[in-house]
Amino acid sequence: MVFKRMLRAFGVGGPSVDTVLTNPNVRPGELLTGEVRIAGGDHAATVDEVKLSLVTRVEVESGDNEHNRNVEFARVVVGRQVHVGPGQHLALPFQFPVPLETPLTVVHGTPLRGMTMGLRTELEVRGAVDPGDLDPIAVHPIRSQEHVLNAFGALGFRFTRADSEQGRIHGVPQQLPFYQEIEFLPPQQFLGKISQVELTFVTDSHHLYVVLEADRRGGLFRQGGDTFGHFAMSHDEVIRTDWAAVLHQWMDQVAGRRSSHGHGL
């Protein structure tokens, strides 16, 4: 009997959980919907909390070392003090607001290499947390972000990889403790002077902040290093702007002598 109680305290024979999403595809600012399905075990149990959280992999720099860790950046409590009888099946519907700064994982139907994103379900029973399951989700760009990304494609930039990095970008109203970098090889005419360009979006309900970083190649008469560009516009302004022209002009300036700073920052 004592052995059975110990097993129950550690969750053996306790309730199990499965989260079913209405649609795993979502855009920043939208709602993920679905239901958390709880199946009772071989004994009655009370689930103190049913929690959902968005989790992504973030690169963390520590001194000269880098490592990746899974970071939770948004959370919703779906239920509290949920009583589950032996073998009972419960379904808890949910709506999960996806933060506007959520990193993208898919562009034009193509997964961004290097990105992972999931919705994690946790059951807390008697103070012990069961990690439950992790459901992958696909985060697609909103319209203004897509407009900028289309310009990269039109100019011949080639996507290489993406990641999320811990830290904050100076000069933008960033809310999350990390930011995404989408890395591109520049068009052929710039390859001799620029080795790669990184794109970061910081998004709120009114504005899109576009942060560009170019890695300039050093040369006999040319200093290498990183050059930054910042552009801040309303979402409507972004869509009305010829971003292919903006990017081409910025690349011309970077490949030349000076760095460039864009609108409003």
Side-chain angles (χ1 to χ4, degrees), residues 60-148:
V60 180
E61 289 190 14
S62 178
D64 294 332
N65 299 316
E66 294 179 352
H67 65 278
N68 292 317
R69 65 185 181 94
N70 289 330
V71 172
E72 173 192 306
F73 62 94
R75 171 177 284 204
V76 167
V77 176
V78 178
R80 288 189 172 93
Q81 298 301 308
V82 179
H83 302 285
V84 190
Q88 184 181 7
H89 290 267
L90 298 176
L92 305 177
F94 67 84
Q95 292 186 327
F96 194 121
V98 176
L100 279 163
E101 287 184 25
T102 299
L104 307 178
T105 67
V106 178
V107 174
H108 296 316
T110 302
L112 296 183
R113 189 169 66 87
M115 293 304 303
T116 62
M117 183 74 60
L119 184 69
R120 185 169 63 198
T121 310
E122 294 176 332
L123 296 187
E124 187 175 324
V125 183
R126 294 182 184 176
V129 177
D130 176 1
D133 61 355
L134 185 68
D135 294 278
I137 65 168
V139 185
H140 301 256
I142 63 174
R143 189 179 169 203
S144 56
Q145 293 170 336
E146 197 163 49
H147 190 64
V148 176

Side-chain angles (χ1 to χ4, degrees), residues 11-265:
V12 176
S16 61
V17 63
D18 183 32
T19 296
V20 179
L21 292 164
T22 307
N23 185 349
N25 296 282
V26 71
R27 300 179 195 277
E30 293 182 347
L31 292 173
L32 273 173
T33 62
E35 58 184 28
V36 178
R37 297 174 181 173
I38 301 173
D42 60 17
H43 58 276
T46 297
V47 181
D48 297 327
E49 275 194 339
V50 182
K51 294 174 280 193
L52 295 174
S53 56
L54 279 174
V55 179
T56 192
R57 190 169 57 213
V58 175
E59 185 178 286
V60 180
E61 289 190 14
S62 178
D64 294 332
N65 299 316
E66 294 179 352
H67 65 278
N68 292 317
R69 65 185 181 94
N70 289 330
V71 172
E72 173 192 306
F73 62 94
R75 171 177 284 204
V76 167
V77 176
V78 178
R80 288 189 172 93
Q81 298 301 308
V82 179
H83 302 285
V84 190
Q88 184 181 7
H89 290 267
L90 298 176
L92 305 177
F94 67 84
Q95 292 186 327
F96 194 121
V98 176
L100 279 163
E101 287 184 25
T102 299
L104 307 178
T105 67
V106 178
V107 174
H108 296 316
T110 302
L112 296 183
R113 189 169 66 87
M115 293 304 303
T116 62
M117 183 74 60
L119 184 69
R120 185 169 63 198
T121 310
E122 294 176 332
L123 296 187
E124 187 175 324
V125 183
R126 294 182 184 176
V129 177
D130 176 1
D133 61 355
L134 185 68
D135 294 278
I137 65 168
V139 185
H140 301 256
I142 63 174
R143 189 179 169 203
S144 56
Q145 293 170 336
E146 197 163 49
H147 190 64
V148 176
L149 288 162
N150 287 344
F152 273 81
L155 288 177
F157 283 84
R158 283 179 294 150
F159 168 74
T160 55
R161 67 183 305 275
D163 64 11
S164 293
E165 300 192 7
Q166 181 175 276
R168 297 189 178 273
I169 299 172
H170 177 70
V172 296
Q174 182 184 337
Q175 301 297 313
L176 296 181
F178 59 84
Y179 56 90
Q180 182 180 34
E181 289 186 337
I182 304 173
E183 299 175 8
F184 296 90
L185 284 177
Q188 191 67 37
Q189 69 264 38
F190 295 109
L191 266 178
K193 296 183 177 180
I194 300 169
S195 58
Q196 75 173 15
V197 173
E198 296 172 347
L199 165 67
T200 295
F201 292 123
V202 177
T203 311
D204 63 28
S205 56
H206 300 293
H207 295 90
L208 181 67
Y209 300 83
V210 180
V211 182
L212 304 173
E213 180 180 352
D215 186 3
R216 296 201 305 175
R217 298 182 189 274
L220 187 59
F221 303 107
R222 185 174 64 248
Q223 184 178 359
D226 295 336
T227 303
F228 295 89
H230 288 188
F231 302 84
M233 302 182 192
S234 72
H235 293 287
D236 286 341
E237 286 176 316
V238 171
I239 291 165
R240 292 197 303 266
T241 296
D242 182 352
W243 272 92
V246 170
L247 287 172
H248 199 283
Q249 181 184 23
W250 184 75
M251 292 290 287
D252 276 338
Q253 291 174 329
V254 171
R257 294 184 303 277
R258 63 188 187 277
S259 67
S260 166
H261 290 271
H263 308 278
L265 286 178

